[in-house]
Amino acid sequence: MDGWQKLPLWKVIQLQYGKPLDTNDRNPAGLYPVYGANGEKDRTDKFCCDKPSIIVGRKGSAGEVTLTEDKFWPLDVTYFVEFDRNRHDLRFLYHLLTTLNLPSLAKGVKPGINRNEVYALPVNVPSLAQQRRIVAILDEAFEAIARAKANTEKNLQNAREVFTSEVASIFATGRSDWPVKTLPELSQNLDSKRVPITKSSRKTGEYPYYGASGIVDYVAEYIFDENTLLISEDGANLLARSTPIAFSVSGKYWVNNHAHILRFNDMRTQRFVEYYMESIPLDSYITGAAQPKLNQKALNSIPIPIPDNLDGQQAVVVRIEGLEQQTESLKDIGRHKLAALDELKKSLLHQAFTGQLTAKATDSQLAEVA
């Protein structure tokens, strides 16, 4: 690491305290960003700092690091960075600070970091010219990583949308030939057996404790030991559908009063109904604006086109399960790629501050992941 100096951080930066900003001075359409501990919190037409800088969370989200290249107002839960601009590059210092794991210095009930502890951290710093060379390589690499992540996330979204569309098509194709039934005709409702337990009263154990969208805790006892279908009774997810609203559960478990519980005579029927409920919008059956709710009466009124015979139900389930497996395989590939891109970013930062970063090696590493 020729030309690098090992220095305590106080010789490189100064952390200045942010300042309170009156509510009357805040304006969502204001010219300048107002920064809190973990990023922009508001806008204002005032500024107290007129040079690009780095914001470090002082209280709350202590140790979080944000780069700003505009005039700005740092709130009193932050530090903002001052430094000798003839010796150090802003973006180099930003990347450097992100590698120091500043959140690990946070202490207290409302976590805060002491700037003297930050100042004591040792850092390696090269010449200004080397800093700018490193920044140029990192900026180009991080742009490529961001593009690759955006493409991968788009592919994941496309996979989910294709699966949803294919499932809807399967149900639409058969709907005209299937008799229509309701859940009381297909299942037994076990809602009366539900028992909510407040968080303070729960005893931690091995049994899943289910709520509207899945497992919310593990408890020491259980009230069910069988296969059932749970369907969300309330919550914003009934409309948002970011997690399943219908999901099969088995074994020993507890269910609170935020999920309907349905027992079926045959698993093929249960799985058919699970997929069907996941495939349809429920907006017209839901009441409540502040707290969306699918009550039992509304749930029981939902028409479900379903083959009369179990073999017909199974055939539909098998087709959908095959699509689901293909979709999950694609999603696994995407998730692994996203994880690899995150790891590459960490690796490049490590290389940057240990004198190992080169443009050629970076291009090669990007090509391997992309």
Side-chain angles (χ1 to χ4, degrees), residues 170-203:
I170 289 171
F171 285 120
T173 301
R175 184 175 286 121
S176 60
D177 299 325
W178 298 334
V180 175
K181 298 186 179 181
T182 59
L183 285 169
E185 297 176 88
L186 297 168
S187 65
Q188 178 186 0
N189 189 291
L190 305 179
D191 286 3
S192 62
K193 299 181 181 294
R194 301 178 302 184
V195 182
I197 320 172
T198 61
K199 190 171 181 64
S200 60
S201 300
R202 293 177 211 158
K203 293 182 180 179

Side-chain angles (χ1 to χ4, degrees), residues 136-157:
I137 295 172
L138 288 178
D139 283 351
E140 185 175 349
F142 289 173
E143 284 179 16
I145 289 172
R147 287 194 301 271
K149 289 185 71 173
N151 288 335
T152 303
E153 286 163 354
K154 184 177 180 180
N155 290 338
L156 284 171
Q157 181 61 32

Side-chain angles (χ1 to χ4, degrees), residues 19 37 44 46 78 105 115 150 174 191 194 209 238 295-296 298 307 323:
K19 302 176 182 180
T44 181
K46 294 185 171 185
T78 71
L105 300 178
R115 63 179 175 177
D191 286 3
R194 301 178 302 184
Y209 179 75
L238 279 168
N295 61 42
Q296 189 177 131
L323 286 171

Side-chain angles (χ1 to χ4, degrees), residues 9 13-18 54-56 79-82 97 102 113-116 118-119:
L9 194 56
I13 65 169
Q14 295 77 50
L15 295 175
Q16 305 295 348
Y17 288 100
I54 302 161
I55 312 296
V56 178
Y79 297 115
F80 65 95
V81 173
E82 290 186 345
L97 290 175
L102 298 181
I113 58 172
N114 183 296
R115 63 179 175 177
N116 288 329
V118 178
Y119 283 156

Side-chain angles (χ1 to χ4, degrees), residues 79 223 229 285 334:
Y79 297 115
I223 52 177
L229 178 66
Y285 300 96

Side-chain angles (χ1 to χ4, degrees), residues 180-307:
V180 175
K181 298 186 179 181
T182 59
L183 285 169
E185 297 176 88
L186 297 168
S187 65
Q188 178 186 0
N189 189 291
L190 305 179
D191 286 3
S192 62
K193 299 181 181 294
R194 301 178 302 184
V195 182
I197 320 172
T198 61
K199 190 171 181 64
S200 60
S201 300
R202 293 177 211 158
K203 293 182 180 179
T204 302
E206 61 181 296
Y207 304 112
Y209 179 75
Y210 285 97
S213 297
I215 297 172
V216 293
D217 208 345
Y218 287 85
V219 294
E221 299 179 66
Y222 62 92
I223 52 177
F224 296 96
D225 184 7
E226 59 181 308
N227 288 312
T228 61
L229 178 66
L230 304 188
I231 297 178
S232 304
E233 180 172 351
D234 52 32
N237 188 55
L238 279 168
L239 298 174
R241 306 297 283 268
S242 54
T243 58
I245 57 93
F247 45 98
S248 291
V249 297
S250 61
K252 298 174 180 178
Y253 53 92
W254 198 294
V255 183
N256 67 21
N257 59 349
H258 296 291
H260 298 292
I261 310 169
L262 302 175
R263 175 192 287 154
F264 291 79
N265 290 330
D266 194 283
M267 196 65 192
R268 288 167 287 189
T269 307
Q270 178 175 317
R271 289 288 283 163
F272 183 99
V273 171
E274 177 183 354
Y275 282 127
Y276 183 75
M277 293 296 295
E278 276 295 298
S279 75
I280 62 170
L282 296 173
D283 305 47
S284 59
Y285 300 96
I286 293 169
T287 59
Q291 175 71 342
K293 186 177 181 69
L294 177 65
N295 61 42
Q296 189 177 131
K297 181 179 179 181
L299 177 67
N300 289 342
S301 73
I302 297 173
I304 302 175
I306 183 170

